[in-house]
Amino acid sequence: QLQLQESGPGLVKPSETLSLTCTVSGGSISSSSYYWGWIRQPPGKGLEWIGSIYYSGSTYYNPSLKSRVTISVDTSKNQFSLKLSSVTAADTAVYYCACLPVAVAGTFFDYWGQGTLVTVSS
Amino acid sequence: EIVMTQSPATLSVSPGERATLSCRASQSVSSNLAWYQQKPGQAPRLLIYGASTRATGIPARFSGSGSGTEFTLTISSLQSEDFAVYYCQQYNNWLLTFGGGTKVEIK
C-alpha cells in the first residue's frame, strides 16, 4: 500500500517561499497509474486543491494559486515537491500530499499523507 | 469553477440511526464525485468515488448515490467511529473542488 509523508519547515516568513517535499513509499512515483498532488486546509476550514503532477512532469494547478505555485517531481528520490511563493498569513494551513488514480479528466485523492502544519509569521 | 455545496453544515444523529448528507454541484459533474471522511487531527480518508463505488476497506453501511448535480452519502446505522466531518469533491475536470463539509455529531 502506498504511503506518503510530507516534510519541510513549519514556519515561513511573510513574502518568502514555502517549500515542502512528499516522499512516497510502497510504490514508485514513476507509476503510470497515478498523479501526485497537494491539498491544503487552513485551521478550522475546508479543503483546497493546490495542484497535481504526473511523473512525466505534466502539471495541473488551481488557477487561484497558479501564479505562485510550482510542483515538481524527482523520480530518483521517489519524491515530489511544492513551492509556494510570496506567502502571507492566508497561506497558513495544514498541507497534505496525496496520490490520485489516473483518469480521463480530473480524479480523486486515493491515499493521503498525514499532513504538515505550515504557519506564515514573522 | 464548479462550486460544491454541502448540506446541512451540521447533522446531529444518535448512534444506530441513519444519516443522510447532501452535496450539490453548480453544474453537472456526471458521476465524477468522491466523498471523504475526516476525523480531528487526521487526514481525510476516501470513502466513495464514482458517486457510488466504495473505496477499499470501507464498510457497507456507507453508500453513495446521485449523478449530475445532486448527490447523497448515506450512513445506514451510525457507529461511534463515524462521527466526523464529511467532504464531497468533484473531478469532472482538472479544477478539483471540494464542498464545505458536513459535520456529523452525536445527538
Side-chain angles (χ1 to χ4, degrees):
Chain A
Q1 180 174 325
L2 284 170
Q3 293 187 314
L4 298 93
Q5 179 68 57
E6 306 89 351
S7 59
L11 181 64
V12 181
K13 290 182 168 55
S15 80
E16 295 190 343
T17 296
L18 178 160
S19 296
L20 296 174
T21 296
C22 182
T23 301
V24 177
S25 58
S28 173
I29 204 166
S30 298
S31 169
S32 59
S33 299
Y34 290 108
Y35 290 96
W36 308 95
W38 291 95
I39 309 97
R40 69 180 183 178
Q41 184 173 37
K45 296 189 178 181
L47 299 161
E48 179 181 36
W49 170 67
I50 299 171
S52 298
I53 190 166
Y54 195 53
Y55 76 94
S56 63
S58 297
T59 53
Y60 298 93
Y61 294 135
N62 189 325
S64 69
L65 297 168
K66 186 174 183 177
S67 64
R68 298 193 291 132
V69 172
T70 302
I71 296 175
S72 60
V73 63
D74 186 337
T75 55
S76 67
K77 295 182 179 179
N78 228 33
Q79 295 176 335
F80 63 104
S81 298
L82 168 70
K83 292 187 184 298
L84 180 66
S85 64
S86 304
V87 297
T88 69
D91 295 310
T92 294
V94 175
Y95 286 76
Y96 296 100
C97 61
C99 74
L100 304 85
V102 167
V104 173
T107 182
F108 53 90
F109 304 93
D110 200 351
Y111 295 99
W112 296 64
Q114 65 184 27
T116 187
L117 174 64
V118 179
T119 301
V120 179
S121 175
S122 56
Chain B
E1 173 180 331
I2 299 174
V3 177
M4 307 301 293
T5 303
Q6 291 187 241
S7 61
T10 304
L11 186 62
S12 298
V13 185
S14 299
E17 290 188 340
R18 174 188 295 259
T20 302
L21 289 66
S22 295
C23 176
R24 174 178 294 177
S26 61
Q27 63 189 76
S28 177
V29 299
S30 186
S31 294
N32 297 315
L33 191 285
W35 289 95
Y36 303 86
Q37 176 194 67
Q38 187 178 33
K39 298 179 181 179
Q42 297 184 17
R45 176 176 70 147
L46 176 67
L47 297 176
I48 301 283
Y49 62 93
S52 61
T53 302
R54 278 189 302 277
T56 302
I58 301 303
R61 64 180 180 273
F62 291 92
S63 63
S65 63
S67 65
T69 61
E70 300 284 343
F71 300 89
T72 300
L73 175 69
T74 301
I75 312 171
S76 60
S77 177
L78 271 159
Q79 308 297 302
S80 58
E81 62 267 30
D82 300 336
F83 292 96
V85 179
Y86 293 82
Y87 294 95
C88 61
Q89 176 236 328
Q90 68 79 23
Y91 52 96
N92 200 54
N93 55 41
W94 263 115
L95 205 180
L96 311 178
T97 52
F98 292 88
T102 291
K103 181 180 180 180
V104 178
E105 64 176 24
I106 300 174
K107 187 173 182 180

